[in-house]
Amino acid sequence: MSAGIIILIVVVVLVIIIATLYNGLVKARNLTDEAESQIGVQLKRRADLIPNLVNTVKGYAKHEHDTLMDAIQARGVANGQSQADPLADLEKQADVMGDTSKSIATRAQADSQATQVLGHLFAVSENYPNLKAAQNFSQLQEELTSTENRVAASRTNYNRTIRDYNNKVEVFPTNIFAGMFHFTKKEQLPVEEATKTAPEVKF
């Protein structure tokens, strides 16, 4: 076998190896983008539901509405959170969650804060049978909790795909080509965000 053929074989093998490693990096990066998109879809859906819940609560009888707000605030203070106006805070977090121009980490953090307020609202609503019995409230409560479960699952999947992608970026020999082709590490969502469970809701 001539030297020329040997060199050609070596070159072909190297090209195949490089192409395989590069394609693996591209696929891993695409999976992270897909996982991020899944979180975004669920956060947007949840953000769209919150204003309807807020309007339902605002439409509640004024006297009981005020005592409900006081109870939510008291529960928040007892748990180390304090909102001067829980419903306004909920609307603010919903705006951030639905803002696709913001990073997924920022939107997920807003979701976490909204979940705390929703948890207080849902827990306190147990003492307000008229509100709890309202069809809109019960339906929104169920949809928001269901969406939060999907957000939590999407976060877990996102962190898993980021971990796999980062491994490819950092581990030899793909790290060599990752640097050459400008594949950089991505940040996972904080553990407490990814593993947080939705508030327990009783019907």
Side-chain angles (χ1 to χ4, degrees):
M1 187 179 293
S2 69
I5 293 177
I6 293 173
I7 291 172
L8 179 61
I9 291 172
V10 169
V11 169
V12 169
V13 169
L14 286 174
V15 168
I16 291 172
I17 290 172
I18 293 171
T20 300
L21 294 174
Y22 176 80
N23 289 341
L25 286 164
V26 170
K27 289 176 182 177
R29 184 177 61 190
N30 289 345
L31 284 174
T32 67
D33 292 342
E34 180 183 342
E36 181 175 326
S37 176
Q38 289 172 1
I39 296 176
V41 167
Q42 298 305 329
L43 290 175
K44 182 67 169 68
R45 181 174 186 273
R46 203 154 191 257
D48 290 342
L49 290 169
I50 286 174
N52 295 330
L53 182 75
V54 169
N55 288 335
T56 299
V57 175
K58 283 181 177 178
Y60 195 44
K62 179 162 183 7
H63 169 68
E64 294 201 0
H65 172 274
D66 292 344
T67 60
L68 174 65
M69 290 300 100
D70 290 342
I72 294 170
Q73 289 174 342
R75 190 177 180 90
V77 170
N79 285 277
Q81 302 103 29
S82 178
Q83 295 95 15
D85 185 341
L87 294 184
D89 185 63
L90 202 51
E91 289 179 309
K92 176 183 175 184
Q93 300 310 328
D95 287 341
V96 176
M97 288 162 56
D99 188 348
T100 56
S101 69
K102 296 190 181 300
S103 72
I104 204 68
T106 298
R107 295 171 69 193
Q109 178 61 30
D111 174 61
S112 177
Q113 293 172 4
T115 296
Q116 291 174 356
V117 180
L118 288 169
H120 302 325
L121 172 59
F122 293 160
V124 169
S125 70
E126 295 292 319
N127 299 321
Y128 294 82
N130 290 337
L131 176 62
K132 191 181 171 191
Q135 183 177 358
N136 282 352
F137 184 84
S138 296
Q139 182 180 350
L140 288 165
Q141 184 179 28
E142 186 174 0
E143 288 182 15
L144 281 162
T145 302
S146 174
T147 306
E148 174 58 17
N149 290 336
R150 289 195 290 271
V151 170
S154 295
R155 285 171 170 159
T156 300
N157 180 58
Y158 177 78
N159 277 352
R160 184 168 48 246
T161 59
I162 292 293
R163 178 202 63 204
D164 293 344
Y165 168 78
N166 286 343
N167 284 344
K168 286 183 177 292
V169 169
E170 294 182 301
V171 174
F172 180 84
T174 51
N175 62 337
I176 297 171
F177 302 104
M180 288 172 55
F181 296 112
H182 307 292
F183 288 88
T184 57
K185 278 187 67 178
K186 294 190 175 188
E187 291 297 320
Q188 291 185 313
L189 294 176
V191 172
E192 64 271 19
E193 296 296 333
T195 59
K196 174 174 59 62
T197 56
E200 181 182 359
V201 177
K202 298 177 182 177
F203 295 98

